[in-house]
Amino acid sequence: MFEMKGFDNFICSISNAYVLDNTLDENGNVDYTKLNLVLFEMPTYSYLEMGPVIGKCMKMH
């Protein structure tokens, strides 16, 4: 636990993650385009929805 004025922060690690079978690709890997991921952004206390793929690394011109 990392204490700050007004907040208690916890530094954690993820030990397991679970997804439904219909979010896997043909190889059994997670297909992130099928998930409705949500991010929490601390400075503005906002929840953000992840969007579609906008490009591939090292393949954009």
Side-chain angles (χ1 to χ4, degrees):
M1 191 161 107
F2 181 71
E3 295 182 25
M4 295 183 65
K5 183 180 178 183
F7 293 97
D8 289 335
N9 295 285
F10 299 90
I11 300 173
C12 305
S13 64
I14 299 170
S15 60
N16 289 305
Y18 302 92
V19 296
L20 298 173
D21 288 340
N22 63 353
T23 60
L24 300 175
D25 65 14
E26 60 278 351
N27 297 317
N29 299 313
V30 175
D31 183 343
Y32 292 98
T33 63
K34 295 179 181 178
L35 298 176
N36 294 319
L37 298 174
V38 175
L39 301 173
F40 177 70
E41 192 267 327
M42 192 65 168
T44 63
Y45 299 98
S46 299
Y47 291 97
L48 307 168
E49 181 179 8
M50 297 272 303
V53 175
I54 59 171
K56 298 287 185 180
C57 181
M58 306 298 288
K59 297 191 187 268
M60 296 177 69
H61 299 287

Short mmCIF file of all heavy atoms in Angstrom, two decimals:
data_model
loop_
_atom_site.label_atom_id
_atom_site.label_comp_id
_atom_site.label_asym_id
_atom_site.label_seq_id
_atom_site.Cartn_x
_atom_site.Cartn_y
_atom_site.Cartn_z
N MET A 1 0.85 -1.16 0.00
CA MET A 1 0.00 0.00 0.00
C MET A 1 0.90 1.23 0.00
O MET A 1 1.87 1.31 0.73
CB MET A 1 -0.90 0.00 1.22
CG MET A 1 -1.98 1.03 1.15
SD MET A 1 -3.33 0.67 2.29
CE MET A 1 -3.04 1.89 3.52
N PHE A 2 0.57 2.18 -0.87
CA PHE A 2 1.32 3.42 -1.01
C PHE A 2 0.38 4.55 -0.63
O PHE A 2 -0.58 4.84 -1.33
CB PHE A 2 1.80 3.55 -2.46
CG PHE A 2 2.59 4.78 -2.73
CD1 PHE A 2 3.88 4.91 -2.23
CD2 PHE A 2 2.07 5.80 -3.49
CE1 PHE A 2 4.62 6.05 -2.49
CE2 PHE A 2 2.80 6.94 -3.76
CZ PHE A 2 4.08 7.07 -3.25
N GLU A 3 0.61 5.16 0.52
CA GLU A 3 -0.31 6.19 1.04
C GLU A 3 0.06 7.56 0.52
O GLU A 3 1.23 7.94 0.50
CB GLU A 3 -0.29 6.18 2.57
CG GLU A 3 -0.82 4.90 3.16
CD GLU A 3 -0.84 4.92 4.67
OE1 GLU A 3 -0.91 6.01 5.26
OE2 GLU A 3 -0.78 3.82 5.25
N MET A 4 -0.96 8.30 0.09
CA MET A 4 -0.81 9.68 -0.36
C MET A 4 -1.91 10.50 0.30
O MET A 4 -2.90 9.95 0.76
CB MET A 4 -0.91 9.78 -1.88
CG MET A 4 0.19 9.08 -2.62
SD MET A 4 0.09 9.29 -4.40
CE MET A 4 0.37 11.04 -4.56
N LYS A 5 -1.75 11.78 0.31
CA LYS A 5 -2.76 12.65 0.89
C LYS A 5 -4.09 12.45 0.18
O LYS A 5 -4.22 12.69 -1.00
CB LYS A 5 -2.31 14.11 0.79
CG LYS A 5 -3.27 15.08 1.43
CD LYS A 5 -2.79 16.50 1.31
CE LYS A 5 -3.81 17.43 1.94
NZ LYS A 5 -3.41 18.83 1.79
N GLY A 6 -5.08 11.97 0.93
CA GLY A 6 -6.41 11.78 0.37
C GLY A 6 -6.66 10.45 -0.31
O GLY A 6 -7.79 10.14 -0.67
N PHE A 7 -5.62 9.65 -0.52
CA PHE A 7 -5.78 8.39 -1.24
C PHE A 7 -4.92 7.31 -0.65
O PHE A 7 -3.83 7.56 -0.17
CB PHE A 7 -5.38 8.53 -2.72
CG PHE A 7 -6.27 9.41 -3.51
CD1 PHE A 7 -5.95 10.73 -3.73
CD2 PHE A 7 -7.45 8.91 -4.04
CE1 PHE A 7 -6.78 11.55 -4.47
CE2 PHE A 7 -8.28 9.72 -4.78
CZ PHE A 7 -7.95 11.05 -4.99
N ASP A 8 -5.39 6.10 -0.72
CA ASP A 8 -4.58 4.91 -0.47
C ASP A 8 -4.42 4.22 -1.81
O ASP A 8 -5.40 3.90 -2.48
CB ASP A 8 -5.25 3.96 0.52
CG ASP A 8 -5.26 4.52 1.93
OD1 ASP A 8 -4.40 5.35 2.24
OD2 ASP A 8 -6.13 4.11 2.71
N ASN A 9 -3.21 4.04 -2.26
CA ASN A 9 -2.93 3.39 -3.54
C ASN A 9 -2.39 1.99 -3.29
O ASN A 9 -1.62 1.78 -2.36
CB ASN A 9 -1.89 4.20 -4.32
CG ASN A 9 -2.42 5.56 -4.69
OD1 ASN A 9 -3.23 5.66 -5.58
ND2 ASN A 9 -1.97 6.59 -4.00
N PHE A 10 -2.79 1.07 -4.11
CA PHE A 10 -2.36 -0.31 -3.99
C PHE A 10 -1.59 -0.69 -5.25
O PHE A 10 -2.06 -0.49 -6.36
CB PHE A 10 -3.55 -1.24 -3.81
CG PHE A 10 -4.34 -0.93 -2.56
CD1 PHE A 10 -5.39 -0.04 -2.58
CD2 PHE A 10 -3.99 -1.53 -1.36
CE1 PHE A 10 -6.11 0.25 -1.43
CE2 PHE A 10 -4.69 -1.24 -0.20
CZ PHE A 10 -5.75 -0.35 -0.24
N ILE A 11 -0.40 -1.21 -5.07
CA ILE A 11 0.39 -1.71 -6.19
C ILE A 11 0.18 -3.22 -6.22
O ILE A 11 0.53 -3.93 -5.28
CB ILE A 11 1.87 -1.34 -6.02
CG1 ILE A 11 2.00 0.18 -5.97
CG2 ILE A 11 2.71 -1.95 -7.14
CD1 ILE A 11 3.38 0.68 -5.64
N CYS A 12 -0.40 -3.70 -7.30
CA CYS A 12 -0.82 -5.10 -7.40
C CYS A 12 -0.30 -5.73 -8.67
O CYS A 12 0.15 -5.05 -9.59
CB CYS A 12 -2.35 -5.19 -7.39
SG CYS A 12 -3.12 -4.39 -5.99
N SER A 13 -0.40 -7.02 -8.74
CA SER A 13 -0.12 -7.74 -9.98
C SER A 13 -1.32 -8.63 -10.28
O SER A 13 -2.01 -9.08 -9.38
CB SER A 13 1.15 -8.58 -9.86
OG SER A 13 0.99 -9.57 -8.88
N ILE A 14 -1.55 -8.86 -11.56
CA ILE A 14 -2.66 -9.69 -12.01
C ILE A 14 -2.18 -11.14 -12.01
O ILE A 14 -1.17 -11.47 -12.62
CB ILE A 14 -3.13 -9.27 -13.41
CG1 ILE A 14 -3.62 -7.83 -13.37
CG2 ILE A 14 -4.19 -10.22 -13.93
CD1 ILE A 14 -3.88 -7.22 -14.72
N SER A 15 -2.91 -12.00 -11.31
CA SER A 15 -2.52 -13.41 -11.27
C SER A 15 -3.32 -14.27 -12.24
O SER A 15 -2.84 -15.30 -12.70
CB SER A 15 -2.65 -13.97 -9.86
OG SER A 15 -3.97 -13.87 -9.40
N ASN A 16 -4.55 -13.87 -12.58
CA ASN A 16 -5.39 -14.61 -13.52
C ASN A 16 -6.33 -13.64 -14.23
O ASN A 16 -6.69 -12.61 -13.69
CB ASN A 16 -6.25 -15.65 -12.79
CG ASN A 16 -5.44 -16.80 -12.28
OD1 ASN A 16 -4.73 -17.44 -13.05
ND2 ASN A 16 -5.54 -17.07 -10.99
N ALA A 17 -6.72 -14.00 -15.42
CA ALA A 17 -7.72 -13.26 -16.18
C ALA A 17 -8.60 -14.28 -16.90
O ALA A 17 -8.12 -15.34 -17.32
CB ALA A 17 -7.07 -12.32 -17.17
N TYR A 18 -9.87 -13.96 -17.01
CA TYR A 18 -10.82 -14.89 -17.63
C TYR A 18 -11.62 -14.17 -18.70
O TYR A 18 -11.94 -13.00 -18.56
CB TYR A 18 -11.78 -15.44 -16.57
CG TYR A 18 -11.08 -16.14 -15.44
CD1 TYR A 18 -10.71 -15.44 -14.30
CD2 TYR A 18 -10.76 -17.48 -15.55
CE1 TYR A 18 -10.05 -16.09 -13.26
CE2 TYR A 18 -10.09 -18.14 -14.51
CZ TYR A 18 -9.74 -17.42 -13.37
OH TYR A 18 -9.08 -18.05 -12.36
N VAL A 19 -11.92 -14.87 -19.78
CA VAL A 19 -12.78 -14.34 -20.84
C VAL A 19 -13.76 -15.42 -21.27
O VAL A 19 -13.52 -16.61 -21.06
CB VAL A 19 -11.98 -13.86 -22.07
CG1 VAL A 19 -11.06 -12.70 -21.72
CG2 VAL A 19 -11.19 -14.98 -22.70
N LEU A 20 -14.84 -15.00 -21.89
CA LEU A 20 -15.81 -15.95 -22.43
C LEU A 20 -15.25 -16.57 -23.71
O LEU A 20 -14.47 -15.94 -24.43
CB LEU A 20 -17.13 -15.25 -22.72
CG LEU A 20 -17.84 -14.65 -21.50
CD1 LEU A 20 -19.05 -13.84 -21.95
CD2 LEU A 20 -18.26 -15.75 -20.55
N ASP A 21 -15.67 -17.79 -24.00
CA ASP A 21 -15.18 -18.48 -25.20
C ASP A 21 -15.44 -17.70 -26.48
O ASP A 21 -14.65 -17.76 -27.42
CB ASP A 21 -15.83 -19.87 -25.32
CG ASP A 21 -15.30 -20.84 -24.29
OD1 ASP A 21 -14.20 -20.61 -23.74
OD2 ASP A 21 -15.99 -21.85 -24.02
N ASN A 22 -16.54 -16.93 -26.53
CA ASN A 22 -16.86 -16.21 -27.77
C ASN A 22 -15.96 -15.00 -27.99
O ASN A 22 -16.10 -14.30 -28.99
CB ASN A 22 -18.33 -15.80 -27.80
CG ASN A 22 -18.71 -14.83 -26.71
OD1 ASN A 22 -17.92 -14.53 -25.82
ND2 ASN A 22 -19.94 -14.35 -26.76
N THR A 23 -15.00 -14.72 -27.08
CA THR A 23 -14.04 -13.64 -27.29
C THR A 23 -12.67 -14.17 -27.71
O THR A 23 -11.72 -13.40 -27.79
CB THR A 23 -13.90 -12.78 -26.02
OG1 THR A 23 -13.43 -13.60 -24.95
CG2 THR A 23 -15.21 -12.12 -25.64
N LEU A 24 -12.59 -15.47 -27.98
CA LEU A 24 -11.33 -16.06 -28.43
C LEU A 24 -11.30 -16.17 -29.94
O LEU A 24 -12.34 -16.31 -30.59
CB LEU A 24 -11.17 -17.45 -27.81
CG LEU A 24 -11.15 -17.51 -26.28
CD1 LEU A 24 -11.11 -18.96 -25.82
CD2 LEU A 24 -10.00 -16.71 -25.71
N ASP A 25 -10.08 -16.14 -30.50
CA ASP A 25 -9.96 -16.33 -31.95
C ASP A 25 -9.85 -17.81 -32.26
O ASP A 25 -9.96 -18.66 -31.37
CB ASP A 25 -8.76 -15.53 -32.50
CG ASP A 25 -7.40 -16.01 -31.98
OD1 ASP A 25 -7.31 -17.11 -31.40
OD2 ASP A 25 -6.42 -15.27 -32.17
N GLU A 26 -9.62 -18.13 -33.52
CA GLU A 26 -9.58 -19.53 -33.94
C GLU A 26 -8.42 -20.32 -33.33
O GLU A 26 -8.43 -21.54 -33.31
CB GLU A 26 -9.53 -19.63 -35.48
CG GLU A 26 -8.34 -18.97 -36.13
CD GLU A 26 -8.49 -17.47 -36.32
OE1 GLU A 26 -9.58 -16.92 -36.10
OE2 GLU A 26 -7.49 -16.84 -36.68
N ASN A 27 -7.41 -19.62 -32.80
CA ASN A 27 -6.27 -20.27 -32.15
C ASN A 27 -6.39 -20.33 -30.63
O ASN A 27 -5.47 -20.76 -29.95
CB ASN A 27 -4.97 -19.55 -32.52
CG ASN A 27 -4.69 -19.62 -34.00
OD1 ASN A 27 -4.85 -20.67 -34.63
ND2 ASN A 27 -4.29 -18.51 -34.58
N GLY A 28 -7.52 -19.85 -30.09
CA GLY A 28 -7.72 -19.86 -28.65
C GLY A 28 -7.13 -18.68 -27.90
O GLY A 28 -7.08 -18.67 -26.68
N ASN A 29 -6.67 -17.67 -28.65
CA ASN A 29 -6.12 -16.46 -28.04
C ASN A 29 -7.21 -15.40 -27.91
O ASN A 29 -8.16 -15.38 -28.69
CB ASN A 29 -4.97 -15.91 -28.89
CG ASN A 29 -3.84 -16.89 -29.00
OD1 ASN A 29 -3.40 -17.47 -28.01
ND2 ASN A 29 -3.35 -17.10 -30.21
N VAL A 30 -7.04 -14.50 -26.96
CA VAL A 30 -8.02 -13.43 -26.78
C VAL A 30 -8.02 -12.53 -28.01
O VAL A 30 -6.98 -12.08 -28.48
CB VAL A 30 -7.69 -12.59 -25.52
CG1 VAL A 30 -8.64 -11.42 -25.40
CG2 VAL A 30 -7.76 -13.45 -24.27
N ASP A 31 -9.21 -12.29 -28.55
CA ASP A 31 -9.39 -11.35 -29.66
C ASP A 31 -9.89 -10.04 -29.04
O ASP A 31 -11.06 -9.90 -28.72
CB ASP A 31 -10.41 -11.90 -30.66
CG ASP A 31 -10.60 -11.00 -31.86
OD1 ASP A 31 -10.20 -9.82 -31.81
OD2 ASP A 31 -11.16 -11.48 -32.86
N TYR A 32 -8.98 -9.10 -28.85
CA TYR A 32 -9.30 -7.86 -28.15
C TYR A 32 -10.33 -7.01 -28.88
O TYR A 32 -10.98 -6.16 -28.27
CB TYR A 32 -8.04 -7.06 -27.87
CG TYR A 32 -7.15 -7.74 -26.86
CD1 TYR A 32 -6.07 -8.52 -27.27
CD2 TYR A 32 -7.42 -7.64 -25.51
CE1 TYR A 32 -5.28 -9.17 -26.35
CE2 TYR A 32 -6.63 -8.29 -24.57
CZ TYR A 32 -5.56 -9.05 -25.00
OH TYR A 32 -4.78 -9.71 -24.08
N THR A 33 -10.52 -7.25 -30.19
CA THR A 33 -11.55 -6.50 -30.93
C THR A 33 -12.95 -6.96 -30.55
O THR A 33 -13.92 -6.28 -30.84
CB THR A 33 -11.35 -6.62 -32.45
OG1 THR A 33 -11.52 -7.98 -32.84
CG2 THR A 33 -9.97 -6.12 -32.87
N LYS A 34 -13.07 -8.12 -29.90
CA LYS A 34 -14.37 -8.64 -29.49
C LYS A 34 -14.73 -8.24 -28.05
O LYS A 34 -15.82 -8.51 -27.59
CB LYS A 34 -14.40 -10.16 -29.61
CG LYS A 34 -14.27 -10.66 -31.04
CD LYS A 34 -14.29 -12.16 -31.07
CE LYS A 34 -14.15 -12.68 -32.50
NZ LYS A 34 -14.12 -14.15 -32.52
N LEU A 35 -13.78 -7.64 -27.32
CA LEU A 35 -14.02 -7.24 -25.94
C LEU A 35 -14.49 -5.79 -25.89
O LEU A 35 -14.12 -4.98 -26.73
CB LEU A 35 -12.75 -7.37 -25.12
CG LEU A 35 -12.17 -8.77 -24.99
CD1 LEU A 35 -10.85 -8.72 -24.22
CD2 LEU A 35 -13.14 -9.70 -24.28
N ASN A 36 -15.28 -5.46 -24.93
CA ASN A 36 -15.68 -4.07 -24.68
C ASN A 36 -14.87 -3.56 -23.49
O ASN A 36 -15.37 -3.44 -22.38
CB ASN A 36 -17.18 -3.98 -24.39
CG ASN A 36 -18.00 -4.36 -25.58
OD1 ASN A 36 -17.68 -4.01 -26.71
ND2 ASN A 36 -19.06 -5.10 -25.36
N LEU A 37 -13.60 -3.28 -23.74
CA LEU A 37 -12.69 -2.89 -22.68
C LEU A 37 -12.97 -1.48 -22.19
O LEU A 37 -13.36 -0.60 -22.95
CB LEU A 37 -11.25 -2.98 -23.16
CG LEU A 37 -10.77 -4.37 -23.57
CD1 LEU A 37 -9.38 -4.28 -24.17
CD2 LEU A 37 -10.78 -5.30 -22.39
N VAL A 38 -12.77 -1.27 -20.90
CA VAL A 38 -12.95 0.03 -20.27
C VAL A 38 -11.69 0.34 -19.48
O VAL A 38 -11.15 -0.51 -18.79
CB VAL A 38 -14.17 0.03 -19.33
CG1 VAL A 38 -14.28 1.34 -18.57
CG2 VAL A 38 -15.45 -0.26 -20.10
N LEU A 39 -11.20 1.57 -19.62
CA LEU A 39 -10.03 2.03 -18.87
C LEU A 39 -10.48 3.06 -17.85
O LEU A 39 -11.41 3.84 -18.11
CB LEU A 39 -9.02 2.68 -19.81
CG LEU A 39 -8.46 1.82 -20.93
CD1 LEU A 39 -7.59 2.68 -21.84
CD2 LEU A 39 -7.65 0.68 -20.37
N PHE A 40 -9.81 3.10 -16.71
CA PHE A 40 -10.06 4.15 -15.73
C PHE A 40 -8.84 5.06 -15.72
O PHE A 40 -7.72 4.61 -15.52
CB PHE A 40 -10.30 3.58 -14.33
CG PHE A 40 -10.49 4.64 -13.29
CD1 PHE A 40 -11.64 5.41 -13.30
CD2 PHE A 40 -9.53 4.87 -12.33
CE1 PHE A 40 -11.82 6.40 -12.35
CE2 PHE A 40 -9.70 5.85 -11.38
CZ PHE A 40 -10.85 6.63 -11.38
N GLU A 41 -9.06 6.33 -15.93
CA GLU A 41 -7.99 7.31 -16.01
C GLU A 41 -8.04 8.17 -14.75
O GLU A 41 -9.05 8.83 -14.49
CB GLU A 41 -8.16 8.14 -17.29
CG GLU A 41 -6.99 9.00 -17.64
CD GLU A 41 -7.14 10.39 -17.07
OE1 GLU A 41 -8.26 10.90 -16.95
OE2 GLU A 41 -6.10 10.96 -16.75
N MET A 42 -6.99 8.11 -13.95
CA MET A 42 -7.01 8.68 -12.61
C MET A 42 -7.07 10.22 -12.54
O MET A 42 -7.88 10.73 -11.78
CB MET A 42 -5.78 8.17 -11.83
CG MET A 42 -5.82 8.44 -10.38
SD MET A 42 -7.18 7.54 -9.61
CE MET A 42 -6.77 7.76 -7.91
N PRO A 43 -6.24 10.97 -13.27
CA PRO A 43 -6.28 12.43 -13.05
C PRO A 43 -7.65 13.07 -13.25
O PRO A 43 -8.01 14.02 -12.56
CB PRO A 43 -5.27 12.97 -14.05
CG PRO A 43 -4.31 11.84 -14.25
CD PRO A 43 -5.17 10.59 -14.18
N THR A 44 -8.45 12.54 -14.19
CA THR A 44 -9.78 13.14 -14.43
C THR A 44 -10.90 12.28 -13.89
O THR A 44 -12.07 12.62 -14.04
CB THR A 44 -10.03 13.35 -15.94
OG1 THR A 44 -10.03 12.09 -16.59
CG2 THR A 44 -8.97 14.25 -16.55
N TYR A 45 -10.56 11.15 -13.27
CA TYR A 45 -11.56 10.21 -12.74
C TYR A 45 -12.58 9.84 -13.81
O TYR A 45 -13.78 9.87 -13.59
CB TYR A 45 -12.26 10.79 -11.51
CG TYR A 45 -11.32 11.07 -10.38
CD1 TYR A 45 -10.82 12.34 -10.16
CD2 TYR A 45 -10.91 10.05 -9.54
CE1 TYR A 45 -9.93 12.59 -9.12
CE2 TYR A 45 -10.03 10.29 -8.50
CZ TYR A 45 -9.54 11.57 -8.30
OH TYR A 45 -8.67 11.81 -7.27
N SER A 46 -12.07 9.49 -14.96
CA SER A 46 -12.93 9.17 -16.10
C SER A 46 -12.78 7.72 -16.52
O SER A 46 -11.68 7.15 -16.46
CB SER A 46 -12.58 10.06 -17.30
OG SER A 46 -12.76 11.41 -16.98
N TYR A 47 -13.89 7.13 -16.97
CA TYR A 47 -13.88 5.81 -17.57
C TYR A 47 -13.88 6.00 -19.08
O TYR A 47 -14.68 6.75 -19.62
CB TYR A 47 -15.10 4.99 -17.15
CG TYR A 47 -15.07 4.62 -15.68
CD1 TYR A 47 -15.76 5.37 -14.74
CD2 TYR A 47 -14.33 3.53 -15.24
CE1 TYR A 47 -15.71 5.04 -13.39
CE2 TYR A 47 -14.28 3.19 -13.90
CZ TYR A 47 -14.97 3.95 -12.98
OH TYR A 47 -14.93 3.62 -11.65
N LEU A 48 -12.97 5.32 -19.76
CA LEU A 48 -12.82 5.46 -21.20
C LEU A 48 -13.09 4.14 -21.89
O LEU A 48 -12.60 3.10 -21.46
CB LEU A 48 -11.40 5.92 -21.54
CG LEU A 48 -10.92 7.18 -20.81
CD1 LEU A 48 -9.43 7.36 -20.98
CD2 LEU A 48 -11.68 8.39 -21.30
N GLU A 49 -13.84 4.20 -22.97
CA GLU A 49 -14.12 3.00 -23.77
C GLU A 49 -13.02 2.84 -24.81
O GLU A 49 -12.63 3.80 -25.46
CB GLU A 49 -15.47 3.15 -24.46
CG GLU A 49 -15.86 1.96 -25.29
CD GLU A 49 -17.22 2.14 -25.96
OE1 GLU A 49 -17.77 3.24 -25.88
OE2 GLU A 49 -17.68 1.18 -26.54
N MET A 50 -12.52 1.63 -24.96
CA MET A 50 -11.52 1.36 -25.98
C MET A 50 -12.20 1.31 -27.34
O MET A 50 -13.33 0.84 -27.46
CB MET A 50 -10.82 0.02 -25.72
CG MET A 50 -10.04 -0.05 -24.44
SD MET A 50 -8.35 0.52 -24.56
CE MET A 50 -7.70 -0.50 -25.84
N GLY A 51 -11.51 1.78 -28.34
CA GLY A 51 -12.08 1.82 -29.68
C GLY A 51 -11.47 0.78 -30.61
O GLY A 51 -10.74 -0.12 -30.17
N PRO A 52 -11.75 0.93 -31.89
CA PRO A 52 -11.25 -0.03 -32.88
C PRO A 52 -9.75 0.13 -33.11
O PRO A 52 -9.14 1.13 -32.73
CB PRO A 52 -12.03 0.34 -34.14
CG PRO A 52 -12.33 1.79 -33.96
CD PRO A 52 -12.55 1.98 -32.49
N VAL A 53 -9.15 -0.86 -33.78
CA VAL A 53 -7.73 -0.80 -34.16
C VAL A 53 -7.58 0.33 -35.17
O VAL A 53 -8.35 0.43 -36.14
CB VAL A 53 -7.30 -2.14 -34.78
CG1 VAL A 53 -5.87 -2.04 -35.31
CG2 VAL A 53 -7.43 -3.26 -33.77
N ILE A 54 -6.58 1.18 -34.96
CA ILE A 54 -6.37 2.31 -35.88
C ILE A 54 -5.14 2.12 -36.76
O ILE A 54 -4.92 2.90 -37.67
CB ILE A 54 -6.27 3.64 -35.14
CG1 ILE A 54 -5.10 3.63 -34.13
CG2 ILE A 54 -7.58 3.96 -34.43
CD1 ILE A 54 -4.80 4.97 -33.51
N GLY A 55 -4.35 1.10 -36.51
CA GLY A 55 -3.18 0.84 -37.34
C GLY A 55 -2.32 -0.26 -36.75
O GLY A 55 -2.48 -0.64 -35.59
N LYS A 56 -1.44 -0.78 -37.55
CA LYS A 56 -0.52 -1.84 -37.13
C LYS A 56 0.87 -1.24 -36.97
O LYS A 56 1.36 -0.52 -37.84
CB LYS A 56 -0.48 -2.97 -38.16
CG LYS A 56 -1.81 -3.67 -38.37
CD LYS A 56 -2.14 -4.54 -37.19
CE LYS A 56 -3.39 -5.33 -37.46
NZ LYS A 56 -3.75 -6.19 -36.36
N CYS A 57 1.53 -1.58 -35.87
CA CYS A 57 2.88 -1.10 -35.60
C CYS A 57 3.84 -1.53 -36.71
O CYS A 57 3.78 -2.68 -37.17
CB CYS A 57 3.33 -1.65 -34.25
SG CYS A 57 4.97 -1.12 -33.76
N MET A 58 4.66 -0.61 -37.14
CA MET A 58 5.69 -0.84 -38.16
C MET A 58 5.12 -1.12 -39.55
O MET A 58 5.84 -1.52 -40.44
CB MET A 58 6.62 -2.00 -37.76
CG MET A 58 7.26 -1.86 -36.39
SD MET A 58 8.32 -0.40 -36.23
CE MET A 58 9.71 -0.89 -37.21
N LYS A 59 3.81 -0.92 -39.75
CA LYS A 59 3.23 -1.16 -41.05
C LYS A 59 2.45 0.06 -41.56
O LYS A 59 1.75 -0.02 -42.54
CB LYS A 59 2.30 -2.36 -41.02
CG LYS A 59 3.03 -3.66 -40.68
CD LYS A 59 2.18 -4.85 -40.92
CE LYS A 59 2.85 -6.09 -40.42
NZ LYS A 59 3.64 -6.80 -41.35
N MET A 60 2.55 1.19 -40.84
CA MET A 60 1.85 2.39 -41.27
C MET A 60 2.76 3.22 -42.15
O MET A 60 3.94 3.33 -41.92
CB MET A 60 1.39 3.19 -40.04
CG MET A 60 0.38 2.44 -39.20
SD MET A 60 -0.11 3.32 -37.71
CE MET A 60 -1.04 4.65 -38.41
N HIS A 61 2.21 3.80 -43.18
CA HIS A 61 2.99 4.63 -44.12
C HIS A 61 2.50 6.05 -44.06
O HIS A 61 1.42 6.38 -43.89
CB HIS A 61 2.86 4.11 -45.54
CG HIS A 61 3.37 2.71 -45.69
ND1 HIS A 61 4.72 2.41 -45.67
CD2 HIS A 61 2.73 1.53 -45.81
CE1 HIS A 61 4.86 1.09 -45.82
NE2 HIS A 61 3.68 0.54 -45.90
#
